[in-house]
Amino acid sequence: MARMGVAPEDLVGASVGSSVVPTFAEYVPVVEQAVSVGTRRVYGSYWKRVLEFWGQRRLDEPTASEVKHLAEWVRSQRVLRRNARGGRSAVEHCIAALRCVYRHA
């Protein structure tokens, strides 16, 4: 510690500076500008749903069970088509859209 110029007294009471975590409403538009047009087209509707559910929440707040709840809500709101496979693709796209947000965060 002496070689680094740090004394034990410097470490006592030193707090780690916490960074401010943005909300989904603040960060999703940043991600939308960072991705390609194709990605925006595929994930845009899912990001709108995320903003409906969690717009004012910080990115680090949703729990795994809340993500599952969102995915099931997306499944229930899907457009019914003959080849829909029970909403599996809608859930997969919703999770992928969230992953994209967190990958950029």
Side-chain angles (χ1 to χ4, degrees), residues 21-82:
V21 178
T23 64
F24 284 94
E26 294 169 342
Y27 202 70
V28 167
V30 172
V31 175
E32 285 179 323
Q33 295 302 314
V35 298
S36 68
V37 174
T39 302
R40 199 173 316 133
R41 182 180 52 79
V42 172
Y43 294 157
S45 63
Y46 298 99
W47 288 332
K48 287 178 188 173
R49 291 180 178 136
V50 166
L51 292 176
E52 288 174 25
F53 255 61
W54 299 333
Q56 299 308 312
R57 295 183 72 184
R58 291 188 338 255
L59 292 177
D60 62 347
E61 286 183 14
T63 62
S65 60
E66 289 173 321
V67 171
K68 182 164 179 59
H69 177 71
L70 173 65
E72 291 305 318
W73 181 79
V74 166
R75 181 189 310 263
S76 72
Q77 300 298 310
R78 73 189 185 278
V79 176
L80 295 175
R81 295 190 176 103
R82 283 187 303 148

